[in-house]
Amino acid sequence: MTPLNYTPESFPRETKRHYISASDSEIDEMLKSIGLNDLKDLYSHLPEDVMFSEEPNLPEELVYNDIPEAIFNTLALNNIYPSFMGDGMPNWETHPIVPYVAGIRNLTTSYTAYQPERSQGSLYTLW
């Protein structure tokens, strides 16, 4: 006996290669609500030359434990060359005053950077 009496036949959507959480009847209902008959109709506004003429040739899925090996095999295909980018540039150092300025409470808050308070602190710093 499998846990919770699970059999692949009892959950046919979950055993398909590409899982879609909506059932066929739910998809049909959604399409009908927007006046379409088929999923392909969703893309009818796109030019033919940008559409796939056939399904893309995707590789078979890997078992979870085989993924690291596949990643390392792909990484082994990389060609790593020495980089001289920045060669001869001086070593830049942060000015000793930076930690003190960055520590001024008015300039930063505990909010993320998109918060107006942080933006105000940035403006305060610039001025």
Side-chain angles (χ1 to χ4, degrees), residues 6-28:
Y6 175 81
T7 62
E9 295 78 27
S10 60
F11 297 97
R13 291 186 295 161
E14 285 80 355
T15 57
K16 288 184 180 177
R17 181 173 183 207
H18 300 291
Y19 174 70
I20 298 177
S21 60
S23 67
D24 291 338
S25 63
E26 291 169 332
I27 292 172
D28 291 339

Side-chain angles (χ1 to χ4, degrees), residues 7-8 14 19 21-22 27 45 54 56 73-75 86 88 90 99 109 122 127:
T7 62
E14 285 80 355
Y19 174 70
S21 60
I27 292 172
H45 64 285
E54 55 190 46
N73 290 340
T74 302
L75 290 174
T109 68
S122 299
W127 286 107

Side-chain angles (χ1 to χ4, degrees), residues 53-126:
S53 58
E54 55 190 46
E55 290 187 16
N57 184 17
L58 298 175
E60 290 297 317
E61 293 84 2
L62 295 174
V63 178
Y64 183 79
N65 293 334
D66 294 340
I67 293 173
E69 181 182 354
I71 290 173
F72 285 114
N73 290 340
T74 302
L75 290 174
L77 300 174
N78 286 334
N79 295 317
I80 300 173
Y81 300 102
S83 172
F84 301 103
M85 196 169 178
D87 190 38
M89 295 289 291
N91 291 326
W92 297 98
E93 293 182 20
T94 305
H95 195 280
I97 197 170
V98 169
Y100 300 104
V101 173
I104 297 174
R105 186 84 172 125
N106 296 354
L107 301 181
T108 60
T109 68
S110 60
Y111 297 109
T112 53
Y114 61 85
Q115 294 291 335
E117 294 88 351
R118 178 65 179 107
S119 298
Q120 188 63 38
S122 299
L123 291 172
Y124 183 69
T125 304
L126 293 171

